[in-house]
C-alpha cells in the first residue's frame, strides 16, 4: 500500500482528493500572510506562473488584493483544473491549464517574470524517483523564467534539505525568509523573525540554525533568482 504522503507525488491521488474534497484549500500559507514577501519580489506587472495551484484561493488573492493582472495556474489534476476554469471563467486575470511541472513545453523559454510554489516541490519529493522528478521540475521552472526572474518556493524543507537540491539543479541566487506556521491563524506579537528580512544564509545553511535555533516552527521561503550568465547551458 502507498502511504498518503508518498501518494502526494502521484496524479491519481490529486484527482481523487479534488473529487472528494472540492472546497478551497491553501497549503502552508494564504495570500494575505505572504503578501508582504510576494510584493517585495514580484511586481504586479509581471506574468506570474503558479505551479501546483490545486483549488487554492491564493491566486485569487493575488488578483483581488494584490493587483496582479496575469496569473497562470497549472496543476497535474484535470479534475481541479476543470473546476477552477469554471469557477473563474469571468476573471480574465486568472488562467488555468492542466500541466505536469516536469514538462512545461507548452510555455516558451523566458516567458514568466516569476513562479510561485507552495508545496509542489515538497509533494514531488514524497513520490517515486523524487530526486529525479524534483530536478526536472526545477529545470523547467528555470527555463520558463526570464533572466532575473524569481522562483518563490514556500516549503517545510530547511536549508539542510533544500539548498543542495536547488543549487545542484540550476544557477540561482538564493535568499531565505521564514514565516511562522500559524501565521494564517493568529498574529504573533513576537514573530520568530521579521518576514521581509532575509535570514543569514551561508553555503551549508548552518547559519539558519544559529540564527533561529534548532527546528524552528516556520515555513521556509526561498527566493531564487535566475542567473542566465552563470549557467547559460540551462537556457534551452
Amino acid at each position: 500500500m502507498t502511504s498518503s504522503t508518498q501518494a502526494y507525488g502521484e496524479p491519481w491521488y490529486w484527482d481523487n482528493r479534488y473529487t472528494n474534497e472540492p472546497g478551497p484549500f491553501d497549503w502552508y500559507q494564504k495570500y494575505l500572510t505572504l503578501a508582504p514577501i510576494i510584493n517585495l519580489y514580484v511586481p504586479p506587472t509581471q506574468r506570474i506562473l503558479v505551479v501546483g495551484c490545486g483549488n487554492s484561493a491564493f491566486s485569487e488573492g493575488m488578483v483581488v488584493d494584490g493587483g496582479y493582472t496575469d496569473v497562470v495556474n497549472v496543476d497535474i489534476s484535470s479534475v481541479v483544473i476543470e473546476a477552477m476554469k469554471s469557477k473563474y471563467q469571468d476573471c480574465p486575470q486568472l488562467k488555468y491549464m492542466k500541466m505536469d511541472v516536469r514538462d512545461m513545453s507548452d510555455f516558451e523559454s523566458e516567458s514568466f517574470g516569476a513562479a510561485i510554489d507552495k508545496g509542489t516541490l515538497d509533494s514531488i519529493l514524497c513520490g517515486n524517483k523524487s530526486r529525479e522528478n524534483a530536478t526536472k521540475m526545477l529545470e523547467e521552472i528555470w527555463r520558463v523564467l526570464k533572466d532575473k526572474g524569481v522562483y518563490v518556493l514556500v516549503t517545510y524543507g530547511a536549508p539542510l534539505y533544500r539548498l543542495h537540491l536547488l543549487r545542484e539543479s540550476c544557477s540561482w541566487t538564493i535568499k531565505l525568509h521564514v514565516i511562522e506556521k500559524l501565521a494564517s491563524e493568529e498574529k504573533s506579537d513576537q514573530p520568530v523573525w521579521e518576514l521581509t528580512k532575509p535570514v543569514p544564509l551561508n553555503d551549508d545553511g548552518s547559519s539558519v540554525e544559529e540564527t533561529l535555533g534548532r527546528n524552528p516552527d516556520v515555513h521556509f521561503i526561498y527566493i531564487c533568482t535566475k542567473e542566465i550568465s552563470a549557467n547559460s547551458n540551462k537556457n534551452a
Side-chain angles (χ1 to χ4, degrees):
M1 292 289 289
T2 303
S3 74
S4 59
T5 304
Q6 287 175 316
Y8 284 176
E10 307 301 329
W12 58 261
Y13 170 84
W14 298 106
D15 278 340
N16 288 343
R17 177 169 178 148
Y18 293 127
T19 299
N20 296 319
E21 301 175 28
F25 179 80
D26 262 296
W27 288 89
Y28 300 164
Q29 301 285 335
K30 297 180 179 179
Y31 173 70
L32 288 179
T33 61
L34 288 176
I37 205 75
I38 300 296
N39 296 340
L40 183 62
Y41 290 106
V42 183
T45 53
Q46 295 277 18
R47 186 183 187 213
I48 314 300
L49 174 64
V50 177
V51 296
C53 62
N55 54 17
S56 164
F58 192 89
S59 296
E60 177 188 346
M62 290 187 70
V63 169
V64 174
D65 299 311
Y68 290 85
T69 58
D70 191 0
V71 184
V72 181
N73 302 269
V74 301
D75 199 283
I76 202 168
S77 168
S78 57
V79 171
V80 80
I81 288 297
E82 289 308 312
M84 297 300 271
K85 277 183 177 180
S86 176
K87 182 176 182 178
Y88 293 110
Q89 59 184 325
D90 296 324
C91 182
Q93 300 96 324
L94 292 174
K95 302 170 185 66
Y96 288 87
M97 302 174 66
K98 179 185 181 299
M99 196 173 295
D100 187 330
V101 291
R102 297 169 300 177
D103 178 10
M104 296 189 287
S105 52
D106 284 352
F107 296 140
E108 294 182 2
S109 298
E110 300 182 47
S111 56
F112 290 94
I116 298 174
D117 170 6
K118 285 195 307 128
T120 300
L121 181 65
D122 290 355
S123 294
I124 285 179
L125 287 169
C126 292
N128 295 322
K129 298 182 179 179
S130 59
R131 190 78 178 197
E132 175 186 338
N133 288 328
T135 298
K136 287 180 179 178
M137 170 187 166
L138 291 170
E139 289 177 346
E140 274 293 86
I141 288 175
W142 197 93
R143 181 186 66 79
V144 302
L145 283 176
K146 297 176 180 178
D147 187 25
K148 309 302 181 185
V150 294
Y151 169 43
V152 181
L153 169 64
V154 184
T155 170
Y156 63 78
L160 178 64
Y161 305 103
R162 292 291 181 271
L163 270 184
H164 182 68
L165 174 62
L166 289 167
R167 288 173 173 160
E168 189 180 62
S169 65
C170 308
S171 281
W172 305 105
T173 297
I174 301 174
K175 292 183 180 180
L176 177 67
H177 294 257
V178 294
I179 185 169
E180 290 175 279
K181 288 182 178 177
L182 295 178
S184 294
E185 282 76 32
E186 55 190 44
K187 189 74 171 177
S188 173
D189 293 331
Q190 292 183 314
V192 174
W193 190 262
E194 185 182 340
L195 174 59
T196 56
K197 180 181 177 183
V199 179
L201 189 62
N202 58 3
D203 286 345
D204 63 2
S206 59
S207 58
V208 176
E209 186 172 304
E210 294 168 8
T211 303
L212 302 178
R214 185 182 290 268
N215 299 323
D217 195 25
V218 298
H219 289 127
F220 297 91
I221 307 167
Y222 297 86
I223 306 296
C224 308
T225 303
K226 177 178 178 175
E227 302 289 353
I228 284 182
S229 57
N231 202 19
S232 57
N233 65 311
K234 294 287 186 183
N235 185 27

